[in-house]
Amino acid sequence: MESPDMRRLTWSIHNHSDSPMTLMLARLPDTPRQSVASCTVDPAPHTTTDDAWLVSVPPGSRAGLRAEVLVHRPDPARATPELSEAERARYTASTALVPLSESIHAEALRLAGDRTEPEEIARAFFDELVGDRYRYTWPTGDLGAEAMLWDRSGDCGAYAFLFVAWCRAMGIPARTVFGTWATGRLQAHAWAEFHVAGTGWLPVDPSFGWLTAHQRWPAKSREAVEGSFGDLPGERIVFSHDAEFPLPDGLDLPAAPEAAAGGRNSKTSWDGTMLMAGRRVRWGAETLAGRVPYLQPAYPIYPDGNADARVTLGSWLVETPRTRLLAKIGYVLCALAALLLPFLARESANPVTSVLVVGAVVLFEVWLIASRRSVLIPAATLVGLLGFMTQNLLT
């Protein structure tokens, strides 16, 4: 019997451009909280790096990933109590999204006060971000720690970048985490981790902490806020650790130039660009200071610069054994409804009953179409039911 903690991840991306695309796709990691039971990429990767697979996607073609991931409580045996020198250097570095500027340093020192233990310092940063001085907004104006510090508002990525920047400014190794909630379609999320020697990586979710701290139920939200530091509320799947990955060997993209002051990322339209770290990056055609911005779970690379604005993060669906079972039951019920409704309507003296029954089935069909990957069966049944309802009302 399949474990109730098993999640099936199905992801795909379509190369709408007339140019070939090289896809930099995150290699799903095993972590203390997740185990990758299986993972298949199509087309097969032609190159593997430490963090990603490289996949060639011809014009007009698709690439996809199917994985089964077990999400579970933290496994202490998988902890990383000590970091190598290379890892420490990576996770304390100053980058475009996490700049260790004078303003970042000054604020980190102010918040840390006389605290000396990494966990106490990180807690002070977390408490600041979930308080009243910052505000969650989506989408963020300019993605990055520096902009978050000055604007005091941003999305989950902005919260994570600022937390990481403060930690690194105090010499505490920290990294962003990009992933998804472990159910539903396109439930993208970002959070952070900081490292404590002898213990390992500890998760922090400042944006979720802020959202729960500012909801209407103080007793419930206080408990949820506490759960966002050192633990993770809700089930998630990790796509990648950290941000700003080096371009693979043999590939070259220009760096995005400095953007004009001001501007925001749009909530209602996507023009193929994203404002981050003071630069308006053409997605897939430019880099952020010579690096791939982040992998959630992929970044399309068009060496000739002919990127299509419709190519973004791709699309994914995370299913649990329960949601798959409910969907199968739903298909069976809809098929039975399609067979039985003509007989029910014929025997009914009140056509309103038929309308109500058909309407209920239609609502269920709409839910199936909105939540399921395959729409052919429910769409066909929906069309048939609507046709029957129309005929029943006109005769």
Side-chain angles (χ1 to χ4, degrees):
M1 183 176 180
E2 189 175 17
S3 168
D5 296 324
M6 186 66 75
R7 301 293 182 267
R8 180 178 295 172
L9 169 67
T10 306
W11 172 88
S12 67
I13 194 168
H14 187 192
N15 180 11
H16 295 280
S17 173
D18 295 330
S19 299
M21 175 177 74
T22 296
L23 191 68
M24 190 170 177
L25 176 61
R27 296 172 57 190
L28 301 184
D30 285 320
T31 75
R33 290 174 169 78
Q34 79 178 31
S35 303
V36 181
S38 65
C39 186
T40 304
V41 179
D42 183 33
H46 60 77
T47 305
T48 301
T49 70
D50 291 340
D51 301 296
W53 291 297
L54 300 185
V55 181
S56 296
V57 187
S61 299
R62 285 185 176 274
L65 176 149
R66 292 178 62 88
E68 291 192 333
V69 182
L70 190 67
V71 293
H72 47 71
R73 295 300 302 165
D75 181 358
R78 293 189 174 189
T80 310
E82 303 298 335
L83 297 179
S84 67
E85 287 301 317
E87 289 173 321
R88 178 169 290 276
R90 175 181 179 179
Y91 298 127
T92 55
S94 178
T95 68
L97 290 168
V98 185
L100 303 187
S101 62
E102 290 185 8
S103 56
I104 293 287
H105 270 287
E107 186 68 359
L109 287 170
R110 183 188 74 82
L111 294 172
D114 58 359
R115 299 173 181 86
T116 58
E117 294 298 322
E119 196 164 351
E120 294 178 356
I121 295 172
R123 180 62 198 230
F125 297 156
F126 173 79
D127 289 341
E128 173 73 1
L129 288 172
V130 302
D132 295 330
R133 286 162 53 84
Y134 289 84
R135 181 169 55 92
Y136 179 90
T137 56
W138 181 85
T140 188
D142 182 356
L143 183 61
E146 192 80 50
M148 179 66 174
L149 178 65
W150 293 110
D151 295 344
R152 298 193 184 277
S153 67
D155 61 10
C156 57
Y159 269 85
F161 285 132
L162 183 53
F163 177 86
V164 168
W166 283 340
C167 285
R168 292 186 182 185
M170 297 302 296
I172 302 171
R175 63 190 183 186
T176 47
V177 184
F178 288 92
T180 179
W181 296 101
T183 185
R185 185 183 297 277
L186 266 176
Q187 299 292 319
H189 191 43
W191 58 100
E193 293 177 339
F194 69 98
H195 192 270
V196 176
T199 300
W201 291 101
L202 297 179
V204 179
D205 194 341
S207 64
F208 190 82
W210 188 93
L211 288 168
T212 50
H214 292 80
Q215 64 183 9
R216 296 183 178 181
W217 303 280
K220 181 180 178 181
S221 67
R222 186 69 255 170
E223 179 183 350
V225 170
E226 293 297 326
S228 293
F229 183 85
D231 198 0
L232 288 177
E235 296 175 334
R236 308 135 187 257
I237 293 176
V238 174
F239 289 150
S240 62
H241 289 119
D242 209 26
E244 296 175 82
F245 299 91
L247 271 173
D249 293 339
L251 294 175
D252 186 33
L253 287 181
E258 295 284 338
R264 294 191 62 83
N265 289 308
S266 174
K267 185 176 183 178
T268 58
S269 64
W270 166 258
D271 63 358
T273 69
M274 181 175 290
L275 182 62
M276 55 180 74
R279 302 160 176 87
R280 177 67 68 175
V281 180
R282 288 181 59 218
W283 200 255
E286 294 176 329
T287 63
L288 177 63
R291 290 179 170 259
V292 169
Y294 57 86
L295 299 177
Q296 196 174 30
Y299 188 75
I301 299 174
Y302 291 92
D304 63 0
N306 188 29
D308 191 293
R310 290 170 290 179
V311 178
T312 53
L313 301 178
S315 178
W316 66 82
L317 176 71
V318 181
E319 300 172 286
T320 68
R322 180 173 178 270
T323 58
R324 291 201 299 275
L325 176 61
L326 287 175
K328 291 176 182 177
I329 293 174
Y331 286 141
V332 173
L333 291 177
C334 287
L336 289 175
L339 293 173
L340 294 176
L341 274 175
F343 301 100
L344 293 174
R346 194 179 310 150
E347 297 297 327
S348 175
N350 186 359
V352 174
T353 303
S354 300
V355 174
L356 291 177
V357 173
V358 173
V361 176
V362 167
L363 288 176
F364 188 68
E365 289 283 352
V366 170
W367 175 82
L368 276 177
I369 292 173
S371 60
R372 293 290 296 164
R373 178 176 62 255
S374 175
V375 301
L376 295 180
I377 295 177
T381 309
L382 175 58
V383 171
L385 290 174
L386 288 174
F388 163 73
M389 182 175 69
T390 303
Q391 181 184 15
N392 190 49
L393 289 175
L394 294 177
T395 58

